[in-house]
Amino acid sequence: MIIIENVKFSYPTSNFNFSINKLNIADGEKVAVTAPSGYGKTTFLNLISCILTPKEGNIIIEDEIVNNFNDSKKRAFRISNIGFIFQDFELIEYLDLKDNIALSYLINPALKLNKDIEKKVIELTERFGLNDKLNRNVIKLSQGEKQRVAICRAILSSPTILLADEPTGNLDPENKENTVNELIEYSNNNNAILIMVTHDFSLLEKFDRTIDLGDFYAN
Amino acid sequence: MKESVYLAYRYMLHNKIKSVVMILSLTILLSLPFCLNILVNKSESYLMSRAKNTPLIIGTRGSSLDLVINSLYFEKTEIIEMKYDEVGRVKKSGFALPVPLHIKFSSNKFPIVGTTIDYFEFRGLKAKSGDLFAILGECVLGADVANKLKLKPGQYITSSPETALDITGVYPLKMKIAGVLEKAFTPDDKAVFTDLKTTWVIEGLIHGHQDLQRSRDTSILLGVKDNNYIANAKLYNYNNITPENIFDFHIHGENGQYPITSVISLPYTEKDKALLMGRYLAKDDKSQILIPRNVIAKLIDNIFKFKKFFEGIFIFVAVALLMLLTLVITLSLRLRSKEIQTMFKLGSSRFKILEIISFELIILLSVSVIVSSGLIYFAFINVDNFIKLVVF
C-alpha cells in the first residue's frame, strides 16, 4: 500500500510547487493519473520511486517511510520494488534484447543475475513473443516490440509497484491496447500497484481509479 | 564489477569506429616517443660504429664535418681536394697505413670511390662474386648497386658526367665490373669502388688515345715541338679501357700532384696515432687530421639538441591530443546523458555509472597499452632491419 501524507515539493530553480495532502493507493490497485502538462505527473512518479525527496510530508510504502531512506537504500528499494515503463521506452541501444530486459541486474548489486533470472528472461520473451529476437539489437525492433521489451524489463524483478509514464504515447492503437492489458494483467496476477500517467481518456475505464493531479494543489 | 566490465565492453563493441579511433590515438600517443627513441638511439649507434672503426682522416683544412661525412658515408660535400702527395707524407712518417680516397664522381647516382685495395681489407669487405679490381678501368660494385642496377661481374658500368652541359669536362668512362661485394649494411653497399687511377681517368688527368706515331692519318698531326707530337681535335680518345688500349693510357705530370679528397690513416699503435696527429698541429699546415668519432659525436650532440626540441613539440601535441580525447569523452557522456539518466532512474548509483564509464576508459587504455607494447617490441626487434633498409 502507498500512503502519501502532506507531501510538498518544489524545484530549487523554478516556482513550480507540488502538494498532496492525503492519497492512499491500495495493493493491487490500478490507478490512472491525468493532469494537464506542467501539473507534476512525472514529479509524482519520481516522488513515489524515491528519485525525488519531498520537502515536507511522508511517503509510506509497505509501512516504511521511504523518503527517509538514505540514497543507497532508496536505490535498492527502487530497483527491487518498482518497475518503470517510459513513453519512449528508454532502452539501451548498445545492448541486445535480453541484456536490456536484464538491465536492472547489471546496474545494481542489490539484484543478482543468476541462472534462474536468465531462465525468467527467456520465459518472459516467450510470453511476449520476443523469443526469436533474443540477441537482436533493440535498435532493430519495432515500436511495439520495444515497448514489450520495456515491460519485460519492468516486471523481471517482480516489483510490487509498476510506474508507467505515458507508456502508450508512441504506440499505434493495437499496441496501445496490448501494452495496457499486459500491465493490468501483471497487476492482477501479482497484486501489484499500477500507476500509469496517461493523456488517453479511452484507456481510463480499464483502471480502478483515475487521479487528476489538478484536483490537488498544483500551480 | 564484472557487470560493469560487460556493459563497458558492449558499449565499445557497439561503437566500434569510435573505440578503434580512440585506441589508435592513444596507441600513437604511447608508442611514438618510445619507437622514435629506439630509432634515434639505433641510428646513433650505426653512425658512431662506422666513425669508431675509422681511426683517423686527413684532408684539406675546412669543414671537418664535410670531410668526415664525405670520407665515411660517401656523401657529396663541399670539400677542397688535396694532393696525392699527402699519402706519401703519411707513408713516410711510418706511423700509419694510408688509404687514399677520391670521392668526386658518380654512376647512376651511386658514388664512385677511388681508393686502393687496402680499403677492402680495412673495412673487411669481400667479393661475393668475381674479384676485386686489379687493373685500370675495373671496378667493384657494392651489393645494393649490383642489386638495383642488376649488374654482375663481366658487365660494364659507366660513370656519369659531372654536369650535362659540361662538354669540355669529364667524359663518361665505361668501367668493367670485376666483382660484387658481399652485403655489409654500411654505405659501402651503395658505392662503386675503383682504383684511384681510374678516377683520375674519369677526371681526364690520365687519358688514352690513338698512338700518333703509329697513326696513318697524317691530318691528325699539327706538328712536333721539343720531341713532342702535337695533335688536333681529330685525335681519338678512348672512353673505355680494354686490354688492347690499356697501355695507351698515360699520365701527364707527377702522380703526387693529382687530386684525392681524403686519406684514411690506420695507425699501427696508439702511440703512432698520437705522433701522427702531432705532425698536423702546425697552424700553417694546409691539411688537417681528424678523429671521426669526435666529429660524429659532435654531430650527434647537435641532432640530440633537435631531438629534445622535437620532444618538447611532442609534449604539446600529446597535450592537444589528450584534450581532444577528453573532449570526445565529454561529448560522448553528453550524448549518453539519457542512458545514464535511465540507469539512475532504474536504481543504479552514480558510482556504478562512473564505474561503467571508468571501465570503458580502462579497457581503451589497456588495449592501447597492449598494442603500444607490441609496436614498441616490434620496433625494438626490427629497428636494425629498418635502418638497414632505409639508410643502407
Side-chain angles (χ1 to χ4, degrees):
Chain A
M1 183 163 187
I2 300 172
I3 301 168
I4 299 173
E5 290 177 337
N6 304 317
V7 165
K8 288 189 194 317
F9 178 80
S10 61
Y11 290 101
T13 52
S14 83
N15 54 9
F16 170 85
N17 288 300
F18 182 89
S19 173
I20 294 179
N21 289 331
K22 185 76 181 172
L23 178 66
N24 290 354
I25 302 171
D27 288 346
E29 194 174 1
K30 291 160 275 294
V31 178
V33 177
T34 62
S37 292
Y39 270 65
K41 296 187 290 294
T42 303
T43 303
F44 175 63
L45 296 185
N46 286 344
L47 284 166
I48 292 173
S49 59
C50 300
I51 292 170
L52 297 175
T53 305
K55 285 189 168 179
E56 288 177 31
N58 289 322
I59 297 169
I60 301 160
I61 300 174
E62 306 296 334
D63 301 324
E64 291 200 85
I65 304 172
V66 292
N67 51 297
N68 286 347
F69 288 170
N70 62 26
D71 280 351
S72 164
K73 205 171 173 188
K74 277 179 184 171
R75 281 193 303 274
F77 166 78
R78 187 156 70 240
I79 206 155
S80 307
N81 296 286
I82 294 176
F84 260 110
I85 301 136
F86 307 98
Q87 181 180 359
D88 49 1
F89 325 125
E90 298 195 18
L91 301 177
I92 307 298
E93 67 173 29
Y94 57 84
L95 295 177
D96 60 23
L97 189 147
K98 63 177 167 39
D99 284 338
N100 260 289
I101 292 174
L103 183 64
S104 300
Y105 289 79
L106 298 170
I107 59 172
N108 191 317
L111 298 178
K112 300 284 176 201
L113 187 62
N114 53 36
K115 295 279 174 201
D116 289 340
I117 300 300
E118 285 171 6
K119 199 176 156 194
K120 199 172 169 187
V121 170
I122 305 293
E123 284 169 3
L124 277 173
T125 54
E126 281 170 357
R127 192 181 131 201
F128 282 83
L130 298 164
N131 52 326
D132 57 335
K133 302 177 177 80
L134 276 176
N135 297 312
R136 188 174 292 183
N137 191 285
V138 289
I139 302 169
K140 294 171 184 165
L141 298 177
S142 69
Q143 295 291 91
E145 286 170 332
K146 282 178 183 173
Q147 191 58 294
R148 277 184 272 157
V149 173
I151 293 171
C152 289
R153 181 177 69 187
I155 66 177
L156 180 66
S157 60
S158 304
T160 53
I161 301 167
L162 274 184
L163 300 179
D165 193 355
E166 298 188 53
T168 58
N170 286 332
L171 298 178
D172 58 68
E174 190 186 342
N175 278 312
K176 188 194 297 181
E177 188 79 10
N178 290 341
T179 297
V180 176
N181 289 343
E182 288 293 348
L183 295 176
I184 287 173
E185 190 184 334
Y186 175 82
S187 171
N188 289 336
N189 293 343
N190 296 275
N191 196 32
I193 294 170
L194 169 63
I195 302 173
M196 187 173 115
V197 170
T198 183
H199 288 294
D200 192 338
F201 288 89
S202 68
L203 299 172
L204 297 183
E205 62 184 19
K206 292 177 180 288
F207 292 83
D208 300 327
R209 184 158 54 123
T210 299
I211 299 171
D212 185 350
L213 288 182
D215 294 341
F216 297 95
Y217 171 71
N219 56 48
Chain B
M1 189 188 282
K2 67 178 181 186
E3 288 85 5
S4 300
V5 176
Y6 177 72
L7 287 173
Y9 165 73
R10 296 298 307 191
Y11 176 79
M12 291 175 63
L13 202 64
H14 185 74
N15 297 284
K16 287 188 197 81
I17 295 172
K18 181 188 152 198
S19 304
V20 168
V21 168
M22 288 186 78
I23 287 169
L24 285 178
S25 305
L26 284 168
T27 300
I28 290 168
L29 198 67
L30 292 170
S31 61
L32 200 60
F34 289 101
C35 290
L36 279 177
N37 210 35
I38 291 169
L39 190 65
V40 168
N41 288 342
K42 205 67 189 179
S43 305
E44 179 200 346
S45 77
Y46 269 99
L47 271 174
M48 272 311 264
S49 69
R50 195 159 170 91
K52 278 178 187 169
N53 292 334
T54 311
L56 292 170
I57 289 175
I58 299 166
T60 307
R61 279 191 190 274
S63 165
S64 52
L65 186 62
D66 279 356
L67 182 62
V68 171
I69 294 288
N70 177 267
S71 305
L72 294 185
Y73 310 108
F74 312 141
E75 292 290 334
K76 221 169 186 179
T77 55
E78 294 296 321
I79 60 168
I80 305 160
E81 290 175 348
M82 63 199 303
K83 288 177 181 166
Y84 183 70
D85 270 345
E86 201 63 45
V87 176
R89 183 180 172 189
V90 176
K91 206 180 280 179
K92 209 172 164 186
S93 74
F95 297 137
L97 173 71
V99 179
L101 294 174
H102 190 212
I103 305 160
K104 187 176 176 182
F105 307 106
S106 61
S107 174
N108 295 286
K109 293 185 180 169
F110 292 108
I112 295 173
V113 179
T115 187
T116 61
I117 291 293
D118 292 330
Y119 182 84
F120 300 100
E121 197 179 332
F122 158 57
R123 292 280 186 219
L125 299 169
K126 286 177 184 164
K128 187 183 176 189
S129 58
D131 287 304
L132 301 179
F133 54 76
I135 57 169
L136 194 69
E138 280 188 341
C139 67
V140 182
L141 303 185
D144 289 349
V145 180
N147 190 37
K148 191 153 189 194
L149 301 177
K150 300 195 177 357
L151 291 171
K152 55 188 181 188
Q155 293 182 311
Y156 289 85
I157 185 167
T158 308
S159 69
S160 311
E162 276 187 281
T163 64
L165 300 172
D166 185 11
I167 54 169
T168 60
V170 175
Y171 284 99
L173 180 72
K174 200 170 159 188
M175 295 177 284
K176 187 178 183 184
I177 299 163
V180 174
L181 296 173
E182 284 177 350
K183 180 106 175 151
F185 299 107
T186 65
D188 296 324
D189 294 334
K190 287 181 164 52
V192 177
F193 295 94
T194 187
D195 183 64
L196 201 57
K197 285 177 182 162
T198 305
T199 59
W200 291 339
V201 173
I202 296 170
E203 200 156 4
L205 301 170
I206 294 178
H207 62 182
H209 48 75
Q210 65 187 113
D211 190 340
L212 278 170
Q213 292 181 44
R214 282 183 283 170
S215 175
R216 291 179 184 177
D217 186 356
T218 52
S219 65
I220 299 169
L221 197 63
L222 283 174
V224 182
K225 190 181 178 187
D226 299 333
N227 287 330
N228 288 325
Y229 291 89
I230 303 163
N232 60 22
K234 199 179 174 186
L235 183 74
Y236 178 72
N237 280 282
Y238 303 122
N239 68 348
N240 65 335
I241 301 161
T242 62
E244 291 76 33
N245 69 16
I246 190 166
F247 297 109
D248 290 331
F249 279 81
H250 52 273
I251 293 179
H252 292 276
E254 293 287 321
N255 266 12
Q257 297 303 304
Y258 280 26
I260 55 173
T261 46
S262 61
V263 181
I264 293 175
S265 299
L266 310 172
Y268 304 114
T269 64
E270 276 301 305
K271 187 182 168 189
D272 289 344
K273 184 179 176 182
L275 289 169
L276 183 64
M277 288 181 75
R279 295 282 174 98
Y280 287 84
L281 289 176
K283 283 186 179 172
D284 59 346
D285 199 321
K286 286 181 180 172
S287 302
Q288 61 176 334
I289 191 161
L290 300 166
I291 300 172
R293 182 184 186 162
N294 295 347
V295 177
I296 296 297
K298 204 171 169 184
L299 171 71
I300 287 169
D301 274 353
N302 286 329
I303 290 171
F304 268 71
K305 275 179 197 161
F306 275 101
K307 192 188 158 206
K308 278 179 186 159
F309 173 72
F310 284 117
E311 277 170 357
I313 288 175
F314 184 81
I315 289 169
F316 280 107
V317 173
V319 169
L321 192 56
L322 279 175
M323 283 166 74
L324 272 175
L325 287 175
T326 310
L327 184 70
V328 169
I329 292 164
T330 310
L331 289 175
S332 164
L333 286 179
R334 195 172 288 181
L335 282 172
R336 293 174 71 183
S337 63
K338 194 164 186 189
E339 168 204 330
I340 290 167
Q341 196 59 32
T342 302
M343 286 188 183
F344 179 70
K345 277 186 199 165
L346 291 177
S348 178
S349 66
R350 294 192 197 283
F351 175 78
K352 189 73 181 175
I353 292 165
L354 193 70
E355 187 181 88
I356 295 165
I357 292 163
S358 300
F359 272 117
E360 281 170 24
L361 296 176
I362 289 168
I363 292 170
L364 281 174
L365 203 62
S366 304
V367 174
S368 304
V369 166
I370 292 166
V371 177
S372 300
S373 305
L375 272 177
I376 293 165
Y377 179 70
F378 181 80
F380 186 73
I381 59 168
N382 285 294
V383 67
D384 284 320
N385 291 337
F386 179 75
I387 290 174
K388 283 168 188 172
L389 193 75
V390 174
V391 184
F392 306 124

